[in-house]
Amino acid sequence: MKYKDIRELTDEELATKLEDCRAELFNLRFQMATSQLDNTARVKLVKKDIARVQTEIRAREIAAEKSAE
């Protein structure tokens, strides 16, 4: 998922996306441990998606703090 797409999501959608990505990462790790994972590059992509979502959430928190001052 591109960062541009992530910026367009609402706060609730970001939280849902973060939960979904973390669940997918858990499942991918489980598949890797049992040697059932075909595309190991998917793990890296999911980790990057998690980081992008967390970055946007934090950026919104910082913006809210600045506007409250």
Side-chain angles (χ1 to χ4, degrees), residues 1-60:
M1 178 172 248
K2 300 282 185 183
Y3 189 70
K4 181 179 120 181
D5 299 331
I6 291 174
R7 280 186 285 164
E8 297 172 358
L9 298 176
T10 65
D11 292 340
E12 294 82 22
E13 290 173 333
L14 281 174
T16 304
K17 179 72 176 165
L18 185 60
E19 287 178 22
D20 293 344
C21 287
R22 286 184 174 163
E24 183 179 357
L25 182 61
F26 175 79
N27 289 331
L28 289 172
R29 285 181 174 160
F30 192 83
Q31 288 176 5
M32 194 168 12
T34 59
S35 300
Q36 295 177 347
L37 185 62
D38 296 329
N39 185 7
T40 57
R42 182 76 184 135
V43 174
K44 187 175 181 180
L45 294 176
V46 172
K47 284 182 179 181
K48 284 186 178 187
D49 282 346
I50 290 171
R52 286 182 185 117
V53 170
Q54 288 178 329
T55 300
E56 180 60 24
I57 290 171
R58 182 64 183 143
R60 290 182 186 187

